Amino acid sequence: MKDPIDAFRQFLAAKNQKLTPQRQVVLRIFMDRHDHMTPEELHTLGRELDPGLGLATVYRTLKLLEEAGLARELRLGDGVARYEYDFGRAHHDHIICTGCNRNIEVLDPRIETLQEALARRHGFELTGHKMILYGLCEDCRKGGD
């Protein structure tokens, strides 16, 4: 598998752009954290490494990372865009608690098979999908005891 930094460098070169130190900071944090981060959270972490890192640079870099297949934007139902590192990761879905915003990544091959069969039945060939389930986690149902 290709190194993510090399993959991003090649993607940028094809667009006549460079892997700047600021873009490297954003990618490094993303690769190390593996969280579902907002651009603002990434910006805060990035400024610890590069105090001159601007929020606009973070937004632009996230869009480039998404185009390059290294990041994926997530809309988890709370109106906030989050991004997750997506390079070389297996597909997964999400279960989100509407009480505490706990986010669990899940994969069930049976559900994947059913989704593919459903698409075929309607004449579609799947090229991708997102499944997000919402509910209350056990702690929130118990009242947070």
Side-chain angles (χ1 to χ4, degrees), residues 71-91:
R72 181 166 67 135
E73 180 183 23
L74 296 171
R75 298 278 179 169
L76 302 176
D78 59 359
V80 177
R82 289 181 172 76
Y83 292 82
E84 69 178 345
Y85 183 69
D86 202 35
F87 185 74
R89 293 190 68 202
H91 165 77

Side-chain angles (χ1 to χ4, degrees), residues 118-129:
L118 181 64
R120 277 193 309 274
R121 196 171 2 182
H122 291 279
F124 281 78
E125 180 179 325
L126 286 183
T127 58
H129 74 275

Side-chain angles (χ1 to χ4, degrees), residues 50-101:
D50 180 350
L53 181 67
L55 184 57
T57 298
V58 172
Y59 272 98
R60 285 191 301 267
T61 302
L62 284 170
K63 288 300 177 192
L64 289 168
L65 289 169
E66 191 174 19
E67 287 176 37
L70 292 147
R72 181 166 67 135
E73 180 183 23
L74 296 171
R75 298 278 179 169
L76 302 176
D78 59 359
V80 177
R82 289 181 172 76
Y83 292 82
E84 69 178 345
Y85 183 69
D86 202 35
F87 185 74
R89 293 190 68 202
H91 165 77
H92 59 272
D93 299 306
H94 296 89
I95 300 175
I96 303 191
C97 178
T98 56
C100 66
N101 291 318

Side-chain angles (χ1 to χ4, degrees), residues 21-82:
Q22 293 82 14
R23 288 175 177 163
Q24 286 182 12
V25 165
V26 174
L27 179 56
R28 235 343 127 196
I29 292 168
F30 221 44
M31 289 169 43
D32 293 344
R33 294 288 304 241
H34 287 275
D35 287 337
H36 303 101
M37 290 185 281
T38 67
E40 292 77 12
E41 290 167 337
L42 250 169
H43 179 245
T44 299
L45 292 169
R47 286 183 55 99
E48 292 175 11
L49 300 173
D50 180 350
L53 181 67
L55 184 57
T57 298
V58 172
Y59 272 98
R60 285 191 301 267
T61 302
L62 284 170
K63 288 300 177 192
L64 289 168
L65 289 169
E66 191 174 19
E67 287 176 37
L70 292 147
R72 181 166 67 135
E73 180 183 23
L74 296 171
R75 298 278 179 169
L76 302 176
D78 59 359
V80 177
R82 289 181 172 76

Side-chain angles (χ1 to χ4, degrees), residues 104-120:
I104 302 171
E105 294 179 354
V106 296
L107 177 63
D108 186 321
R110 296 169 298 173
I111 291 173
E112 298 302 314
T113 300
L114 287 171
Q115 290 171 333
E116 290 167 8
L118 181 64
R120 277 193 309 274

